[in-house]
């Protein structure tokens, strides 16, 4: 009987020791960090393009600082979220919104802003035939100088009427002074005719056939 009890005690002790040596279950995995759905990514990325929306308002503009911030933020978003399917889906949706903003900017002839939308769209590695056409037209329009009519002078000998104009480079702000007669070409433009009694001139931009506009005589316009 004593031998039996001793065996039972030894068995119980060995069982307890064995139980103590069993490895504990692994800890649960840490919760996933960052957004996990398309909607969560959109909530983070959409505010990054809000300066573009704001700049579309009449009288508003997008500063160079705003441009740099938008591009920097979106580059970071592409690097951070572009590796997942839901992240890419969110970035595509933001790209479609930028394309619409670019279309609105082109419609309003806000060419500098339209070009920026094209750059942002390209950053997201997306393609759009419409936005490509808007970008091409915006490039041409940015190359078109701003015309300011400064004065008129009639040549007493041959009765030729000369128009004195300032051509302002839209990209650099540099001013080129020119004079021209009806039919003459200068700076990618052609002077079609003088209207009224030297009140305005009609000009054609040669890089876009058929693009004709009138410029008032404003000698004091800076």
């Amino acid at each position: 009987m004593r031998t039996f009890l001793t065996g039972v005690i030894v068995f119980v002790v060995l069982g307890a020791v064995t139980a103590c040596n069993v490895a504990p279950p692994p800890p649960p995995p840490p919760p996933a960090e960052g957004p996990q759905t398309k909607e969560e990514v959109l909530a983070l990325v959409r505010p990054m393009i809000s300066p573009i929306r704001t700049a579309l308002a009449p009288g508003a503009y997008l500063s160079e600082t705003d441009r740099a911030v938008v591009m920097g933020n979106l580059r970071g978003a592409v690097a951070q979220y572009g590796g997942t399917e839901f992240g890419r889906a969110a970035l595509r949706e933001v790209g479609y919104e930028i394309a619409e903003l670019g279309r609105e900017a082109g419609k309003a002839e806000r060419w500098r802003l339209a070009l920026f939308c094209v750059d942002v769209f390209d950053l997201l590695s997306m393609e759009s035939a419409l936005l490509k056409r808007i970008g091409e037209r915006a490039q041409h329009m940015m190359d078109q100088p701003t015309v300011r009519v400064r004065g008129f002078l009639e040549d007493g000998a041959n009765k030729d009427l000369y128009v004195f104009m300032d051509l302002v480079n839209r990209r650099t702000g540099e001013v080129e002074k020119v004079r021209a007669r009806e039919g003459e070409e200068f700076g990618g433009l052609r002077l079609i005719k003088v209207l009224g009694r030297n009140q305005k001139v009609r000009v054609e931009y040669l890089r876009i056939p058929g693009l004709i506009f009138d410029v008032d005589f404003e000698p004091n316009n800076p």
Side-chain angles (χ1 to χ4, degrees):
M1 184 65 177
R2 180 179 296 177
T3 302
F4 174 75
L5 290 175
T6 301
V8 170
I9 292 171
V10 170
F11 177 78
V12 171
V13 171
L14 288 175
V17 172
T18 302
C20 291
N21 290 333
V22 174
E33 296 182 358
Q36 298 300 307
T37 66
K38 170 187 170 182
E39 289 69 25
E40 290 175 346
V41 175
L42 279 173
L44 294 172
V45 177
R46 269 199 179 115
M48 297 179 185
I49 64 172
S50 59
I52 303 176
R53 299 183 190 279
T54 302
L56 275 172
Y61 73 100
L62 195 66
S63 70
E64 292 301 324
T65 299
D66 290 336
R67 292 168 186 269
V69 169
V70 170
M71 293 296 278
N73 287 342
L74 288 176
R75 284 193 188 96
V78 171
Q80 187 171 0
Y81 309 126
T84 63
E85 182 56 39
F86 63 82
R88 289 190 292 271
L91 293 172
R92 279 195 300 272
E93 186 159 329
V94 171
Y96 297 143
E97 294 176 11
I98 292 170
E100 177 60 22
L101 294 174
R103 188 191 67 80
E104 293 178 18
K107 185 177 180 181
E109 298 188 357
R110 302 282 301 279
W111 301 116
R112 186 173 175 82
L113 185 59
L115 274 179
F116 182 69
C117 290
V118 173
D119 290 341
V120 172
F121 196 78
D122 289 343
L123 174 65
L124 298 177
S125 300
M126 299 184 67
E127 295 184 0
S128 166
L130 172 61
L131 205 61
K132 182 179 180 180
R133 290 195 298 271
I134 291 174
E136 291 172 351
R137 185 175 180 86
Q139 288 284 4
H140 289 322
M141 295 305 296
M142 287 297 295
D143 290 338
Q144 175 193 343
T146 299
V147 180
R148 294 172 182 160
V149 179
R150 296 310 192 189
F152 301 87
L153 179 64
E154 184 176 298
D155 188 330
N158 53 27
K159 303 301 181 181
D160 285 340
L161 180 63
Y162 287 90
V163 181
F164 293 82
M165 294 165 283
D166 288 347
L167 306 184
V168 183
N169 187 305
R170 296 190 182 190
R171 299 183 187 274
T172 66
E174 295 179 356
V175 178
E176 177 186 1
K177 295 185 178 297
V178 301
R179 72 172 188 174
R181 295 170 296 181
E182 290 183 352
E184 291 185 339
E185 298 179 4
F186 50 92
L189 305 168
R190 176 167 53 233
L191 178 60
I192 297 177
K193 65 184 302 183
V194 177
L195 303 174
R197 295 185 176 182
N198 299 346
Q199 294 177 332
K200 62 178 64 178
V201 299
R202 181 160 293 165
V203 180
E204 180 181 8
Y205 182 39
L206 300 175
R207 292 191 63 180
I208 302 181
L211 179 55
I212 297 172
F213 57 97
D214 295 343
V215 183
D216 292 330
F217 173 40
E218 296 179 307
N220 298 320
N221 183 21

